[in-house]
């Protein structure tokens, strides 16, 4: 359906629910479209934001004849009059005003009026500014999305059973509340990325035992990542990249059972993650395609990569790049058969690339550049398709395809690794091998022949022994010949 919506719609006085989406409507909705809709409880409007723009524009002092319970408006410009009308709707249970071009301060009084009954509140992708009220109670709130606005100040301290909280891409500052886990114990999705938060990650956040997705990326957080994160038995996505976190990567990384056995989560909204070298957006509609993700990149983590990472058998993305990690790459990573993205670049990793990396048949993006890796690059299977030399660059002692550095001839066989110091060791071992052979021959020769030369009685006995042997052999041969002739 297309064209303008007729004003005669406003005459449907018995109408309870009105859904205007998934079509090609255009034009402006005015007071006349709603004038007699006294029983209206649900209104949903969504349009194509590019091809068929639509707007809602009513007089600033217009009093609506209805009290809505459910309101959904997406990609539809809302005038100041309609925004004023919305604030008069105090019986709302579900509210979505997404990408409506609203530019206003956060309506604290309206939030206070609807807080006792509202269940889902989405005001994302607008231009709301100001601060949120800090001490409201939302006893029935399940999901709250204020992402991509201009809100500032500290994160609010709300006592609520909310399971989905998205405050990404705002101007929030200060620390994450230390008692967040106690105030919101049922949190499953937390996204406060792209803000100005500082301080440490509070231990209480681990009390949210149903956590599935947590994104704290691109803030100013410091300190260590809580060891208690293994309490998150359902965790699917961890993104704390682009902060100032330090310390060792938790050895408990191998414990969460959800990364060992795939479990699909419910509504998870939208966020972003560095995947396959690009910053990409994921949402509830395609989460199953993203799989299980860990992104700890661009921090100050140090120490070795825990061997337990190999137990995360359902892991699809592991990004530990741009840290200060040392030691060797655990061979256990080669067991992650569903791993698609492995980012370990810009660390201080040493040793050889594990040979079993060739068994990572799902791997489509690899970056091991800017480390201290040595030896021959493993070949075979999926690794042969990753022929971009930049993924191995700035490892001076690496050799083999796709790098231009050729490994020595004897070391080009599959599975053989190249040691820079092996040649001198082999040369020394060869030299002493030949020396020992020469000494053994000389000693053996003179031990026997020297004795015969020096001792006359031994020399006579030695030659007499061989004369006797010679006579016995000659006699035996003569007898055999004689018997053979008699038979003929």
């Amino acid at each position: 359906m297309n064209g303008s919506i007729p004003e005669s719609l406003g005459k449907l006085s018995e109408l309870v629910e009105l859904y205007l989406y998934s079509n090609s409507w255009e034009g402006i909705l005015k007071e006349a479209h709603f004038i007699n809709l006294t029983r209206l409880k649900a209104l949903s409007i969504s349009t194509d934001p590019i091809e068929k723009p639509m707007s809602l524009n009513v007089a600033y002092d217009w009093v609506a004849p209805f009290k809505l319970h459910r309101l959904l408006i997406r990609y539809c410009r809302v005038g100041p009059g309609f925004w004023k009308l919305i604030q008069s709707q105090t019986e709302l249970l579900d509210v979505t005003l997404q990408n409506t071009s609203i530019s206003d301060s956060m309506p604290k009084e309206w939030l206070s009026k609807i807080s006792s009954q509202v269940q889902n509140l989405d005001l994302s992708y607008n231009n709301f500014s100001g601060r949120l009220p800090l001490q409201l109670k939302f006893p029935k709130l399940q999901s709250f999305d204020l992402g991509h606005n201009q809100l500032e100040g500290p994160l609010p301290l709300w006592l609520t059973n909310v399971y989905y909280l998205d405050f990404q891409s705002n101007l929030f500052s200060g620390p994450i509340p230390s008692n967040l886990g106690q105030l919101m114990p049922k949190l499953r999705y937390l996204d406060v990325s792209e803000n100005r938060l500082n301080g440490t990650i509070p231990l209480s956040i681990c009390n949210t035992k149903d956590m599935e997705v947590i994104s704290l990326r691109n803030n100013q957080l410091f300190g260590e990542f809580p060891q208690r994160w293994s309490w998150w038995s359902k965790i699917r996505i961890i993104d704390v990249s682009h902060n100032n976190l330090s310390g060792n990567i938790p050895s408990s990384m191998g414990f969460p059972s959800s990364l060992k056995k795939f479990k699909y989560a419910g509504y998870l909204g939208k966020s972003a993650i560095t995947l396959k070298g690009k910053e990409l957006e994921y949402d509830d509609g395609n989460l199953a395609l993203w799989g299980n993700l860990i992104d700890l990149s661009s921090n100050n983590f140090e120490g070795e990569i825990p061997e337990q990472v190999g137990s995360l058998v359902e892991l699809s993305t592991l990004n530990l790049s741009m840290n200060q990690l040392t030691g060797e790459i655990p061979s256990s990573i080669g067991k992650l058969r569903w791993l698609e993205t492995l980012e370990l670049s810009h660390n201080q990793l040493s040793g050889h690339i594990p040979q079993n990396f060739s068994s990572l048949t799902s791997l489509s993006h690899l970056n091991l550049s800017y480390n201290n890796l040595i030896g021959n690059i493993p070949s075979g299977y999926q690794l042969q398709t990753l022929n971009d030399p930049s993924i191995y660059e700035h490892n001076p002692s690496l050799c083999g395809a796709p790098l231009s550095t050729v490994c020595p001839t004897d070391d080009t066989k599959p599975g053989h690794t190249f040691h820079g110091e092996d040649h001198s060791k082999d040369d020394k071992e060869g030299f002493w091998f030949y020396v020992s052979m020469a000494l053994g021959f000389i000693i053996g020769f003179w031990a026997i022949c020297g004795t015969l030369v020096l001792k006359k009685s031994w020399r006579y006995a030695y030659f007499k022994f061989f004369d006797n042997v010679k006579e016995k052999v000659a006699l035996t041969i003569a007898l055999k010949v004689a018997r053979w002739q008699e038979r003929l």
Side-chain angles (χ1 to χ4, degrees), residues 135-251:
Q135 301 297 332
L136 285 181
K137 293 183 179 181
F138 291 87
K140 298 182 180 180
L141 190 64
Q142 297 178 13
S143 66
F144 195 6
D145 191 343
L146 289 175
H148 300 274
N149 281 287
Q150 301 295 318
L151 298 169
E152 57 186 5
L155 291 175
L157 294 170
W158 295 335
L159 182 61
T160 176
N161 289 321
V162 65
Y163 72 87
Y164 176 95
L165 191 65
D166 189 342
F167 288 170
Q168 66 171 308
S169 298
N170 278 281
L171 303 173
F172 290 113
S173 58
I176 299 174
S178 60
N179 57 345
L180 179 67
Q182 285 81 18
L183 294 173
M184 304 177 184
K186 295 186 177 180
L187 264 182
R188 300 205 315 255
Y189 181 107
L190 175 64
D191 190 343
V192 291
S193 60
E194 310 286 342
N195 279 284
R196 300 174 179 176
L197 301 175
N198 54 37
T200 60
I201 301 175
L203 291 177
S204 71
I205 204 171
C206 298
N207 293 331
T208 54
K209 296 184 179 180
D210 293 328
M211 187 71 76
E212 296 175 0
V213 174
I214 182 168
S215 180
L216 310 178
R217 74 189 311 268
N218 211 346
N219 280 286
Q220 301 165 25
L221 301 171
F222 56 85
E224 296 189 2
F225 196 82
Q227 288 282 346
R228 295 179 183 176
W229 81 289
S230 59
W231 292 3
W232 294 332
S233 60
K234 300 179 180 179
I235 195 67
R236 293 288 314 285
I237 296 175
I238 298 176
D239 187 354
V240 294
S241 60
H242 298 275
N243 279 286
N244 296 309
L245 299 176
S246 58
N248 293 344
I249 295 176
S251 59

Side-chain angles (χ1 to χ4, degrees), residues 349-366:
L349 299 171
S350 57
H352 303 278
I353 301 173
Q355 181 63 32
N356 64 356
F357 270 28
S358 60
S359 62
L360 295 173
T361 54
S362 298
L363 196 65
S364 59
H365 179 80
L366 174 68

